[in-house]
Amino acid sequence: MKKVNCILLIDDNHADNVYHSIIIRKAGICNHIKVAENGREGIDYIIKCADSNHSNDFPKPELIYLDINMPGMNGFEFLEEYEKLDHDLKSKIVIVMLSTSLNPDDEKTARDNKEVAEFKNKPLTIEMLQDTVERYFQ
């Protein structure tokens, strides 16, 4: 199975981030796991990746797991800002909405966004992760 270099978790829930990091490590398909606790931190991280001087500290994510409900800048607000980023910053990044939201409007909004590859319900599982990597990174 192919490995991705960096997965970025954008989620304000510390317990979810710890659990999802464990799942990603167990799957053994990623070199770096980075965490942003809200959409703003996620955007800032992606912008820092453009600075090649920090490539070891800020590897560009190939896969982003994005939560919807977060304080400050939520997942949909993140997507609005993300769409404004330079094409080179966004190239080769797959975004998966990962949420506990039961609101069908949230799922529809996510699926209708051209930047979102998939909408999945938490928690992340090894099978979900493997499926995403097989689908988008072969």
Side-chain angles (χ1 to χ4, degrees), residues 8-121:
L8 176 61
L9 302 173
I10 304 177
D11 195 329
D12 65 312
N13 186 315
H14 178 73
D16 284 350
N17 287 329
V18 169
Y19 178 77
H20 293 153
S21 295
I22 291 168
I23 292 297
I24 293 166
R25 279 192 203 91
K26 272 190 182 171
I29 59 168
C30 168
N31 297 322
H32 303 279
I33 302 167
K34 298 295 182 176
V35 175
E37 294 187 349
N38 60 52
R40 179 80 258 153
E41 283 184 22
I43 292 292
D44 291 346
Y45 180 85
I46 293 167
I47 291 168
K48 284 178 186 168
C49 294
D51 182 356
S52 59
N53 296 334
H54 296 105
S55 60
N56 290 337
D57 294 331
F58 298 100
K60 181 178 175 179
E62 292 171 282
L63 178 57
I64 295 175
Y65 281 104
L66 177 63
D67 187 29
I68 294 175
N69 298 309
M70 296 177 284
M73 182 187 283
N74 69 32
F76 294 124
E77 292 164 336
F78 167 87
L79 291 170
E80 287 175 23
E81 291 301 307
Y82 182 82
E83 286 175 18
K84 298 174 191 171
L85 293 177
D86 185 82
H87 176 73
D88 291 344
L89 282 180
K90 299 188 295 182
S91 69
K92 299 187 176 113
I93 296 178
V94 174
I95 297 177
V96 176
M97 277 282 200
L98 189 62
S99 182
T100 55
S101 175
L102 298 174
N103 183 340
D105 292 341
D106 284 347
E107 184 170 350
K108 181 180 181 337
T109 302
R111 290 191 188 281
D112 289 348
N113 187 299
K114 66 179 175 43
E115 305 289 357
V116 177
E118 297 181 345
F119 181 95
K120 299 285 186 184
N121 289 309

